[in-house]
Amino acid sequence: MKTIANLLSQQAILHPDHIAIDYQFEKITYKELTKKANQLANYLRSKGVTEETLIPICVGRSVEMIIGILGIIKAGATYIPIDPNHPMERIAYLLAETNANIVITTTQHQHKLKGDIILLDKDWSEINSYGNTAPNIQLSPSNLAYIIFTSGSTGKPKGVMVEHQSLVSYIHAQTNHLQVTPEDRILQFSNFSFDASVEQIFLALLNGARLVLVDEETLADPIQFGLFLQEKKITHLHATPGFLNNVPLINYPHLHRIISAGDTCNKELARKWMNKVHFYNKYGPTEATISVVEYLCSPQEIDNHPSLPLGRALENVQVYILDSNLHALGKNAPGEIYIGGIQVARGYLNQPDLTEKAFITSPFHPGERLYKTGDIGKWLSDGNLEFQGRIDHQVKIRGF
C-alpha cells in the first residue's frame, strides 16, 4: 500500500496543469503546489525532521494552510492542526502534549506559539532556496499521517493518531463509492482541526480534483454561500446537517453530491435535497479515520425507515453491533457499535491506559483491533445501520 506522500506526487505527474487549490483570487496548479510542498519538506528535513516528527500547524484558511500540511507529510512527519482561533489555554495544552520543537504558522499567529517557528508568509525567501523535488524518505504505510485532537467536551482533548494506511484506504473507498473524478470541485468546508477537513482535502488532492476553500464570512451568510456554490461551480459539498438546513434551495447546475455528517440527519433534510443531487448520510468517529458507513438516500427507500439510516460499511471496514459480553447481535437488536479494520487509529497520543480501554482485541479475528465507540446502533432488516444514541444518552454523533 502506498502513502499519502506517494499519492500526492503521482497527481503532480498525472495532472500538472489542473488547478489544485482555488481560494479567493488565488489559484495554484498541481505542479506549483507540489513544488512548494517539496521545498517546504526539504527545508523541514534540513532542520532535523524525520519520519513521525510531530509538527503542529496553526494557520487560518489559506493556500498556505494546504502547502503547510502537504510539506509536513512530504517530509515524512505528522501534521497536527491547531485552530488559531482556539483559546490560548487549549493551544498551550496541545503544544505541551505534542512536545514539538518545530511549529508552522503565519506572522499573524506567531505570538500564540513557542519553539522553532516557521512562518509560511515570511520565510519563503529561505525556503525557496531548497530543492523542488520530493525528499528521499523511508516512509511506511504504518507511519503516522496526522493527529487530530477531539473537542475535549468530556475531559481533556485526546490526540487521535491516524496512520497513512488508514487514510489511504479511506480515500480509496470514498473515491470509488462516490465516483470522484479529476473534474470534481470539492469544497473545503470544515475547520482543519476537525477530521472532516482531512477527507475534503485529500479526496480532492489525491484525485487530481480542485479543492475550493471558502472564507469565514461566506460561511456565515447562507445567501452568499449559495451564490458561492454557483460561482465556483462546486460539485461536492460535505457539511453538517445543521448547516445544510440553511443552504438556500436554488439552482446549482454543477452540484452533484451532498454529504451530511457530524450530527443526526433527519428525513426532512434528505427530502429537501435528494431529488436534486445525490444526498448521502454517513457516520464515523475520529478514532476510525473519519467515517465507516455511508447511505445514499433514495426516494424509494426513505419511507421504509423510521429514521434516516447511516448506511453500510465502507471498503476494508468491519462494523459490529455487540452486547456487553462482546457477542454479535442480529438484526433489529440494539447494541454498542464497534469498528474494526485498517481504518482503526493507532490510539491516543500519550494516553496508553485510555487507548487500552477504547481499542480492544477483537474476539472474532486474530490480530484485529476494535474501537469501542460508545454509540448505540442496530442493523436494520435491509442491512443498513441505524443510529440509536449514545450510551451516556447524548444524541450527538462524534467524529466531525
Side-chain angles (χ1 to χ4, degrees):
M1 180 179 288
K2 295 185 178 295
T3 66
I4 296 297
N6 298 142
L7 296 173
L8 288 168
S9 296
Q10 283 183 7
Q11 293 307 313
I13 297 170
L14 292 171
H15 307 289
D17 298 321
H18 277 208
I19 299 298
I21 308 173
D22 182 344
Y23 181 56
Q24 295 182 334
F25 301 108
E26 190 172 3
K27 295 182 177 67
I28 182 170
T29 66
Y30 275 87
K31 182 179 180 180
E32 294 167 326
L33 175 62
T34 300
K35 174 185 174 181
K36 288 182 175 293
N38 287 344
Q39 287 177 316
L40 178 58
N42 285 309
Y43 178 65
L44 291 171
R45 296 292 290 195
S46 76
K47 288 180 165 289
V49 168
T50 60
E51 289 68 27
E52 295 203 6
T53 298
L54 305 187
I55 302 183
I57 174 170
C58 184
V59 182
R61 290 174 186 265
S62 60
V63 171
E64 287 76 19
M65 180 185 82
I66 305 300
I67 292 171
I69 291 171
L70 301 192
I72 293 169
I73 285 178
K74 281 174 161 284
T78 304
Y79 88 90
I80 303 166
I82 298 179
D83 184 352
N85 295 317
H86 276 158
M88 291 292 290
E89 294 77 11
R90 180 182 171 93
I91 292 175
Y93 174 81
L94 300 188
L95 292 175
E97 279 293 288
T98 60
N99 193 29
N101 296 318
I102 294 175
V103 181
I104 293 178
T105 188
T106 56
T107 306
Q108 179 184 1
H109 305 297
Q110 64 177 315
H111 67 282
K112 304 173 184 178
L113 308 167
K114 61 180 181 178
D116 185 355
I117 297 175
I118 297 172
L119 300 175
L120 291 179
D121 58 343
K122 188 177 178 182
D123 292 339
W124 272 105
S125 57
E126 183 177 359
I127 298 170
N128 276 335
S129 67
Y130 285 80
N132 56 22
T133 58
N136 184 19
I137 59 176
Q138 302 300 313
L139 195 61
S140 163
S142 61
N143 283 135
L144 289 180
Y146 66 89
I147 297 175
I148 293 281
F149 279 85
T150 59
S151 64
S153 58
T154 57
K156 291 183 177 180
K158 303 186 293 292
V160 181
M161 301 184 290
V162 178
E163 298 173 348
H164 280 260
Q165 58 191 351
S166 300
L167 182 55
V168 168
S169 179
Y170 178 66
I171 296 299
H172 176 77
Q174 279 293 72
T175 297
N176 291 340
H177 186 67
L178 301 174
Q179 299 181 2
V180 176
T181 75
E183 305 310 312
D184 268 300
R185 296 187 178 202
I186 296 175
L187 186 69
Q188 204 272 290
F189 167 84
S190 299
N191 185 297
F192 88 141
S193 65
F194 292 98
D195 66 349
S197 72
V198 180
E199 174 176 352
Q200 292 154 16
I201 291 168
F202 291 104
L203 192 61
L205 298 184
L206 297 189
N207 281 296
R210 181 180 300 204
L211 181 67
V212 182
L213 278 61
V214 58
D215 60 81
E216 298 288 350
E217 291 78 12
T218 301
L219 283 174
D221 185 332
I223 301 300
Q224 289 300 314
F225 183 78
L227 295 174
F228 180 88
L229 293 180
Q230 291 178 324
E231 176 191 351
K232 292 294 186 178
K233 301 178 181 179
I234 300 299
T235 65
H236 177 109
L237 172 59
H238 169 193
T240 59
F243 184 89
L244 293 172
N245 267 318
N246 295 320
V247 176
L249 193 62
I250 57 179
N251 183 36
Y252 302 107
H254 299 90
L255 189 59
H256 181 64
R257 69 184 78 86
I258 292 179
I259 301 172
S260 173
D263 211 336
T264 304
C265 181
N266 58 44
K267 289 184 178 183
E268 289 69 26
L269 179 60
R271 288 192 182 99
K272 173 182 174 180
W273 290 104
M274 67 184 182
N275 290 319
K276 295 182 177 296
V277 299
H278 290 113
F279 187 88
Y280 296 85
N281 188 30
K282 71 186 182 86
Y283 157 84
T286 304
E287 290 86 345
T289 315
I290 309 167
S291 295
V292 293
V293 293
E294 196 157 28
Y295 178 74
L296 175 59
C297 298
S298 164
Q300 291 76 34
E301 294 182 7
I302 193 170
D303 291 327
N304 296 332
H305 302 289
S307 61
L308 198 65
L310 298 174
R312 295 181 172 88
L314 294 172
E315 191 177 327
N316 298 324
V317 172
Q318 289 78 50
V319 179
Y320 305 92
I321 305 296
L322 306 181
D323 64 16
S324 58
N325 296 313
L326 300 183
H327 295 146
L329 297 171
K331 292 179 178 179
N332 296 309
E336 186 171 359
I337 302 172
Y338 287 76
I339 300 164
I342 197 171
Q343 286 184 209
V344 175
R346 184 184 292 183
Y348 297 119
L349 179 67
N350 302 331
Q351 299 199 50
D353 292 343
L354 194 58
T355 297
E356 187 176 354
K357 291 178 181 177
F359 298 85
I360 67 169
T361 300
S362 171
F364 307 111
H365 303 291
E368 182 184 42
R369 296 163 62 245
L370 300 183
Y371 172 64
K372 175 182 170 68
T373 68
D375 292 329
I376 301 298
K378 69 177 182 180
W379 293 118
L380 300 173
S381 57
D382 62 0
N384 283 298
L385 181 66
E386 182 181 79
F387 180 68
Q388 301 276 291
R390 286 284 294 163
I391 287 179
D392 57 7
H393 307 299
Q394 294 178 9
V395 176
K396 185 171 181 179
I397 301 177
R398 297 176 303 132
F400 195 85

